[in-house]
Amino acid sequence: MDKPQIIAHVQKSLNYTLFDSKWVPCSAKFVVLGNYPRGTGALQVYEVSHGDATLVHESEKSKGLKCGTFGASSLHQRYLATGDMDGRMQIWNLDAVDLPVYSVNAHKEIINSIDGVGGLGIGEGAPEIVTGSRDGSVKVWDPRQKNDPVATMEPGEGEAKRDCWSVAFGHAYNQHDRCVCAGYDNGDIKMFDLRNMTLRWETNVKNGVCCVEFDRKDINMNKLVAATLESKFHVFDLRTQHPQKGFASLTEKYLSFKPSHEGQ
């Protein structure tokens, strides 16, 4: 028992490809998003009860669903924002998922990643959603504003468009400051300052960036973690920055965890 263990509590077999899952805030429920073999989207809500995960309700969408977040919703509403294979960003009321409460053609290609801030009592300022896409752009959306993003970060004319794999909000510790970090398929990591609309910092970790995340969204930025292909993760100390070398960082390779069953 001296080594970390992952114990399987509940297992379910699904007839579609699962891309994302999120706990529904302040509940014993979680939502699963994915893609059926015929190209349609899967949205299922499960509830954990009596040692099992029971399907509460499900809905099939016209396009596969790639990612989701509750980060921009209030605890009362608990609306889910999703990005799909066709580049649409939609917001769903999980009690009535037939039609979205918000929908926008956000990108020209698949939305790989989505994050939210300003909801769930986490982060100061307005509720916002950020999306990252294969079309190379990162866009910030205000759910109260239809059709147009409040900010767009994309390559300039003539520059190569890299596939954006991951996005995350951070530095939302007051009403004015907020940052977005994006990771790309070529190893680029870029941090955008939304207050000044500038590129605050960038680096390259030499491998596709699968995930980026701040340690907390609602504090003056402290740590940033980036996970990459080949089982590596990079931890950046955002309070220690060299003028030429950038943020102090540590790189490690993932340990190999073998899932075990209780009692074995």
Side-chain angles (χ1 to χ4, degrees), residues 68-87:
T69 180
F70 288 98
S73 175
S74 68
L75 282 172
H76 174 69
Q77 291 179 323
R78 295 184 290 187
Y79 286 170
L80 174 70
T82 61
D84 73 12
M85 300 290 185
D86 216 25

Side-chain angles (χ1 to χ4, degrees), residues 39 43 55 79 81 88 97 139 155 172 174 180 210 223:
L43 191 160
L55 180 63
Y79 286 170
R88 285 181 301 178
V97 293
K139 298 183 180 182
N174 61 32
V180 164
C210 306
K223 298 290 191 301

Side-chain angles (χ1 to χ4, degrees), residues 24 34 54 78 84-85 98 130 132 144 160 200 210 214 257 260:
V24 179
T54 305
R78 295 184 290 187
D84 73 12
M85 300 290 185
D98 291 337
V130 61
R144 304 166 301 178
R200 183 163 182 162
C210 306
F214 291 87
F257 291 103
S260 63

Side-chain angles (χ1 to χ4, degrees), residues 83-153:
D84 73 12
M85 300 290 185
D86 216 25
R88 285 181 301 178
M89 192 275 284
Q90 297 173 301
I91 300 177
W92 307 91
N93 178 355
L94 293 182
D95 295 324
V97 293
D98 291 337
L99 293 172
V101 297
Y102 179 97
S103 181
V104 63
N105 292 320
H107 294 270
K108 297 176 182 177
E109 297 187 61
I110 178 177
I111 296 176
N112 289 316
S113 183
I114 191 170
D115 194 22
V117 73
L120 308 180
I122 300 173
E124 297 286 338
E128 288 181 332
I129 296 167
V130 61
T131 53
S133 169
R134 183 183 292 166
D135 65 12
S137 64
V138 175
K139 298 183 180 182
V140 179
W141 307 87
D142 186 334
R144 304 166 301 178
Q145 177 178 309
K146 290 288 185 180
N147 299 325
D148 296 320
V150 296
T152 300
M153 288 74 74

